[in-house]
Each structure stands twice: as C-alpha cells, then as structure tokens.
Amino acid sequence: MERVYRGIGASPGIGIGRVLIYREPELAGWSETIEDTERELERYRAAVREFSARAEARAEGFELAVGAQQAEILRSQAAMSLDPVLAERIEKKIILGKPAEAALDDECRRFIESFAASSEEVLRLRAADVRDLRDGLLRILLGLPETDLSHLPPSTVLIADDLSLAAVSSLDPANVVGIVLSHSGQVSHCAILARALEIPAVVGTPGVFEALSGGEVAVVDGTKGEVHLGLSPNKLVGWGRNREQFRLLRDSLREFIGKETHTAEGVPLCLEANIGSENDVLRAQEYGIDGVGLFRTEFMFQSRDYFPTEEEQFQVYQRIALALQGRPLTLRTLDAGGDKLLPYLHHPQEENPELGCRGIRLCLREERMFRTQLRAILRASAFGNVRMMLPLITSVDELRHVRALVAQCREELAREGLPCGRDLPLGVMIETPAAVVMARLLAREADFFSVGTNDLTQYVMAADRKNTQVAGYYSHYDPAVVRSVEQIAQAAREGGIPVAVCGEAGADPLYLPLLLSFGVRELSVLPAALLPTRKAVSRWSLEEAHAVAARALELETENQVRAWLEENKRL
Ligand code: PEP
Ligand code: MG
C-alpha cells in the first residue's frame, strides 16, 4: 500500500532506489580508570590531531570536487576540535583521573544537551556539530575505522537518523540516489553538503525510520520534501518520468554555459557570482560570469584562528582580481558579528546579536582590523577592477567615515611606496530599513548600491532569517519588501548610480520581472544559480516584466503577490 512521509525538502531532485538503513554504531565500552595521566593526556591530544587532520583532508577533497563554501563546513569542524576552551575542560577531567573517552563524552554531552533543548534552530544545529565532533574523536580513541560510505550499492536510498559530516562527505553520488534523515534540518551542514553533491534529500521525517526494514523501493522527492513507499509499478514509471524531466531541466541549462545574459529582446544584464573563496570563482567561471558581485570575505576570517594579515588578504584579493581579467570584483568588507562570530575576536555578549555589533558596525569598532582589510583591498585594486562594498549600512555617516579611512590608508600606502589602483568605487549594501529610507541621500555619496534582500527581508519584516517560528513572516514577496526594493532602485536611478541585487531574491525566477521592471540590470547569485538565472532572464521582455510588476505593486498581501508571480512564472 502506498505511503507518503512528509518532511522538508533539503536538496532538490528525485531519487528512486532501494532503501538502505544506516545506523551509526554505539560508541561505548571504555574503561573507567586510567593508569598514567600523562599518557592519557597524550592519547587525547593525538586523537585531536588525527581528527583535525582527517577533517582537513576531507575538506580538501571536497573543495576540489564540489566547492569551497561547502568545504568550509568541514574545515570549521577541524577548527572546533582544536578549540582551546574545550581542550582545557577535557584535560582537566583527565588530570582528575577520567579516561579520555569519558572526559570527552562528559564535556560534549553538557553542550549537546543544552544546545539540543534550545528553541533556536541554529543552536540545535550546533548540538549536531558537537555530537559529530565527539563521535569522531571517540572513534579514534576506541580504534574504530572512520565512517566510509563510499562503496554503497548502486541506486541506494540512504535512510538514517542523522549523518555525520564524515559520512556525508564520503558518499558517492553515482551510487546514492537519495537521502532521508529523520532528524536534521534544512540548513544543517548535512543538507548543505547533500545539495552540493546534487543528491536529492528530505530531512525531518521522524516516522520513516521506524517504518522501514531495508530493501524497500522508495522515491525521494527532495524538491517537495516527500518520501513515497509501496508504489505500484505504474506509479513508479510515472516517478521515473518526473525524474527524467528534472534531469532534462538541469541539462537544458547547459546551453546557457558561457553565454551572455540578456532579456528576450536583447537588453543585456550583468550576471555576477556570489563567492566565498577563490575556488568558487573557478567554478563560477565555468558557467561564464560578468564579474563577482559579492565576495563574502568573512569566510576567510572564519576559517582561521587569527586575523588574516594584510599580506594574506592582499594575495587572495589580488589573485581573484587577476583571474577575473578586468571584470569587476566586488569585495564586501568583513560582515561578521550576528551569527558569524570570529573565534579570536572578543564579541560583546548581546541579547539580540542580529541587531547588535555586526557588519560595518563591528569594523568601525575594530578599526585596526578594518584598516588592515582596507589596505589589502586598496593594494589589490592596482591589479584589477576592484570595488568595495559595505555591509549593514544604516547612515550616511558610516559611509563618510569609511571614505575618510580609505583616504588615510591610501596616503599611508603612497608614503610606503605600495601601489594602489587610481579608482576604488565604494558601494553600500542596502539591507536595512534605515538604508531604504535614506537611499536618496546615500545615492549622492555611494558609487553603487547592492540590495541584500536576505537581510533586507529580515529587518523590514522584523523576522529573524534563521528562526523557523517566524518563517511565515520572512518572505521577499511581502509587499513591504517589494516596495522597498522598488524605492531603492528608484533612488539609485535618480542618483545616477547602478543598483545590483546580491541577496537570494536575485536568483528567484519568480522575482525576476519585478527586478527587471524596477531597473535592476545587475544580479549576483551563487554559482549554482548562474545558469537558471541566465535562462530565466532570457524568457522575459522588459514590456512583459513591466506589466507583471505594475500589477504586483497594486497587491496588498504576501499571498497575493506570491500567487500573482507564480501565475506568471516562466521557467
Ligand atoms: C543579504 O543580506 O542579502 C546578503 C547578500 O548578505 P548575507 O546573506 O551574507 O548577509
Ligand atoms: Mg546581509
């Protein structure tokens, strides 16, 4: 009999195959006493070294095969294993007579239990990360082999409670056609890696694990978030067709590789990439890009345990600028704070970190660190078409303050005989309500705007972008957000400066007629969204876009706007 289990679509596509149930082995059975404290401490330290080296090796493999942003997830696990606070606590317990396994288990359990009980999804996800770390270290201490799922049979639908990062990163997409996790969330690290591997995945389906014994034929619809079981042969044929359609769609995008981006009547659009590292540029360049519209420089800061030096930053920026061969490289200055904490920086304890010291505020507070980045950017501007962009701007003052710092850094560099480009366009991200209201004034002093629709939606709607409790409010289709974007584009037009969109809405095909109609001619999207966006742009003429946008602006509710854009969608 047919059964459907509903969860959350975590990686799009359809997979049809046989169920294989995977359970992580119980990690237990260590002794309760130790003989030699020094030896025990060394055993623990050696396990940490081994774990960190394995995570780093996995990250490198993943970076080559898939992409740097995803590899960062694996790297951050290596960094977490080396966390000095955790090490100190565990070592204290060992000194007090606990074996390494028990000390590790005790300490991690405290974190896991308190994070897992949190109502915040971000913290619950952190519990999964700590569990992953503990299990990985325990395996090494207990002499168990590393999880390796690289040799599963062809057409496997992998069902598990949750998967460790080591397990997901070892999967071979040629064999695994679908993943179903009874726990885990859409923004879990597992889900991100599954998307990167293009394996359809559904998460958050508690019932499914118990209902299966293995060997059943299952369909995983990672787009809708459904798992279908007990299907008749006829139905299976239908699902096979759906799977082909999805693949055809994916394949149809290939004709857009390396092409220019323009509307149906030939109006050109600048299509750029959002990147987090040098490798992302390489991937994006395979599809053809007009530049980089957003380099999230914070990844470089997050993947180290110290501030990257001026020289280190300069080298990275310079290499990317050169690789782009005259096409723009838009460097966003450090956007840390909020949920992006740097382990080596003292972030203030904040009740509402998203409304706290993040983005440009943090940079202006940590001026020495900021100057280092400004100098590196200025130096890189001698080697390409570099632009600088400031996150979380709320006032004209901030922009003026940065301009003054840039001028000072330029003078310093000139005195030191270090070359800079003659011109460094300075743009602002429009992602706060204050910036929307001030857009006309900001447009007089900024060289360009880039709309960060992710944060703009969060702040306009007063809905935390990671809080699933208020996910219903967090929508860029809301008339409040649509009107904000229109106002921003109008202010840019009046001020005679270009306006780009670099938030997720820029890659949403439903949103495209709005952006085209408002006059946005520059979109910056993740590498995976480049081809779908190029294809979507080619489906619209400006006249048609104006007609759809005019009606959308008359609508009063989020539902109406979404339904209207759905009705007019062109894929
Ligand atoms: C945004 O807020 O839309 C944006 C592009 O920045 P981030 O997602 O990095 O905050
Ligand atoms: Mg943002």
Side-chain angles (χ1 to χ4, degrees):
M1 203 186 52
E2 187 174 336
R3 282 164 294 158
V4 185
Y5 290 88
R6 292 201 166 77
I8 303 164
S11 175
I14 290 163
I16 306 173
R18 284 205 181 271
V19 167
L20 188 143
I21 295 178
Y22 175 74
R23 284 191 175 84
E24 292 274 355
E26 264 301 300
L27 298 169
W30 49 83
S31 79
E32 280 307 316
T33 53
I34 56 173
E35 280 157 22
D36 181 342
T37 309
E38 262 320 303
R39 245 193 56 209
E40 198 62 13
L41 281 172
E42 185 40 44
R43 206 166 73 81
Y44 168 68
R45 288 173 193 154
V48 170
R49 283 195 297 274
E50 175 66 23
F51 180 88
S52 164
R54 285 183 187 180
E56 184 56 41
R58 276 198 299 273
E60 270 171 30
F62 216 78
E63 183 160 350
L64 285 175
V66 184
Q69 250 162 295
Q70 293 82 9
E72 271 328 310
I73 294 172
L74 300 169
R75 279 216 174 86
S76 67
Q77 209 188 25
M80 190 161 69
S81 71
L82 301 170
D83 179 61
V85 179
L86 185 66
E88 197 186 316
R89 285 167 179 261
I90 293 172
E91 293 194 4
K92 257 191 195 148
K93 290 214 154 137
I94 297 177
I95 292 166
L96 289 173
K98 286 229 171 200
E101 291 91 339
L104 170 74
D105 189 40
D106 274 6
E107 272 311 315
C108 290
R109 199 176 288 273
R110 275 169 13 100
F111 282 104
I112 295 167
E113 281 168 6
S114 74
F115 286 152
S118 166
S119 58
E120 298 228 14
E121 191 176 5
V122 205
L123 288 182
R124 288 202 304 276
L125 290 174
R126 206 160 289 167
D129 290 342
V130 180
R131 196 178 305 118
D132 222 21
L133 170 73
R134 176 197 62 184
D135 293 355
L137 280 167
L138 278 177
R139 275 174 168 280
I140 296 172
L141 287 165
L142 294 169
L144 296 170
E146 195 176 13
T147 315
D148 180 5
L149 302 181
S150 59
H151 298 294
L152 297 180
S155 299
T156 292
V157 168
L158 187 64
I159 312 259
D161 194 20
D162 201 353
L163 285 175
S164 66
L165 289 184
V168 189
S169 59
S170 73
L171 292 176
D172 181 350
N175 296 337
V176 179
V177 296
I179 301 175
V180 182
L181 302 177
S182 54
H183 283 83
S184 193
Q186 199 179 19
V187 288
S188 70
H189 286 151
C190 258
I192 294 172
L193 296 190
R195 282 197 287 279
L197 292 167
E198 294 189 352
I199 302 176
V202 177
V203 299
T205 49
V208 75
F209 203 31
E210 294 74 25
L212 291 166
S213 49
E216 298 92 334
V217 172
V219 170
V220 179
D221 182 344
T223 312
K224 284 202 184 133
E226 292 174 354
V227 184
H228 296 256
L229 295 160
L231 291 164
S232 66
N234 266 352
K235 286 261 174 87
L236 276 175
V237 171
W239 276 106
R241 274 198 294 271
N242 293 350
R243 179 181 59 189
E244 277 323 295
Q245 268 172 8
F246 182 86
R247 285 186 182 160
L248 282 176
L249 189 71
R250 218 174 234 174
D251 291 348
S252 76
L253 295 173
R254 301 222 163 90
E255 73 173 90
F256 290 89
I257 294 175
K259 296 281 160 51
E260 295 194 339
T261 308
H262 49 69
T263 61
E265 75 269 65
V267 175
L269 236 91
C270 182
L271 183 62
E272 301 173 312
N274 289 351
I275 63 162
S277 74
E278 292 177 81
N279 269 20
D280 289 345
V281 186
L282 299 179
R283 270 193 79 208
Q285 279 181 319
E286 284 172 21
Y287 303 126
I289 46 169
D290 298 311
V292 165
L294 167 64
F295 178 16
R296 292 183 159 104
T297 59
E298 60 270 17
F299 286 114
M300 189 176 25
F301 287 72
Q302 285 178 300
S303 60
R304 285 174 170 67
D305 51 13
Y306 58 90
F307 284 123
T309 63
E310 177 182 320
E311 195 56 32
E312 279 176 306
Q313 293 188 50
F314 163 65
Q315 303 251 347
V316 174
Y317 304 156
Q318 181 201 36
R319 280 199 297 269
I320 300 179
L322 288 170
L324 287 170
Q325 298 176 328
R327 290 186 291 267
L329 164 60
T330 315
L331 288 163
R332 175 168 77 183
T333 55
L334 177 66
D335 188 10
D339 68 328
K340 298 181 215 162
L341 302 184
L342 304 178
Y344 45 87
L345 182 72
H346 174 71
H347 292 274
Q349 191 73 31
E350 296 178 309
E351 289 254 346
N352 292 307
E354 290 298 322
L355 301 180
C357 195
R358 58 162 291 207
I360 196 66
R361 302 169 180 185
L362 181 77
C363 285
L364 293 176
R365 197 192 70 167
E366 301 290 331
E367 197 180 296
R368 220 158 62 97
M369 173 192 83
F370 191 38
R371 278 173 180 271
T372 305
Q373 185 173 39
L374 296 181
R375 285 172 54 101
I377 294 175
L378 276 163
R379 286 175 58 196
S381 70
F383 296 87
N385 183 356
V386 174
R387 312 191 294 188
M388 188 159 90
M389 181 160 91
L390 310 173
L392 210 82
I393 287 288
T394 51
S395 74
V396 175
D397 263 348
E398 289 161 334
L399 176 58
R400 290 182 184 158
H401 192 152
V402 177
R403 256 200 212 287
L405 288 176
V406 171
Q408 287 169 19
C409 291
R410 193 183 273 284
E411 277 171 25
E412 263 171 35
L413 289 167
R415 277 200 300 276
E416 293 164 31
L418 290 166
C420 302
R422 277 200 334 197
D423 186 29
L424 178 69
L426 180 58
V428 295
M429 289 194 70
I430 305 291
E431 50 183 355
T432 65
V436 178
V437 174
M438 297 297 285
R440 286 176 60 189
L441 299 183
L442 283 166
R444 290 190 197 155
E445 303 193 26
D447 296 315
F448 62 92
F449 281 171
S450 189
V451 190
T453 50
N454 308 341
D455 275 317
L456 184 66
T457 305
Q458 152 162 279
Y459 293 122
V460 165
M461 299 309 299
D464 184 338
R465 60 199 257 194
K466 289 173 282 347
N467 182 346
T468 48
Q469 306 294 318
V470 290
Y473 293 89
Y474 182 84
S475 165
H476 53 241
Y477 303 113
D478 196 284
V481 181
V482 173
R483 282 158 193 249
S484 300
V485 177
E486 196 223 1
Q487 273 179 44
I488 298 163
Q490 194 179 342
R493 207 168 41 247
E494 285 171 15
I497 60 168
V499 57
V501 170
C502 66
E504 292 296 311
D508 177 355
L510 296 192
Y511 224 65
L512 192 59
L514 301 180
L515 299 181
L516 289 174
S517 169
F518 297 163
V520 173
R521 296 289 177 269
E522 193 178 331
L523 298 174
S524 193
V525 302
L526 284 171
L530 284 164
L531 297 182
T533 305
R534 183 168 292 142
K535 181 178 173 190
V537 171
S538 75
R539 298 283 187 267
W540 286 95
S541 72
L542 289 187
E543 196 185 332
E544 292 159 333
H546 286 317
V548 170
R551 174 74 188 125
L553 283 170
E554 287 166 4
L555 299 172
E556 290 157 353
T557 67
E558 193 266 353
N559 270 333
Q560 288 171 344
V561 174
R562 185 194 289 269
W564 170 244
L565 296 178
E566 276 280 356
E567 209 177 296
N568 286 282
K569 86 171 160 207
R570 294 178 187 186
L571 297 175

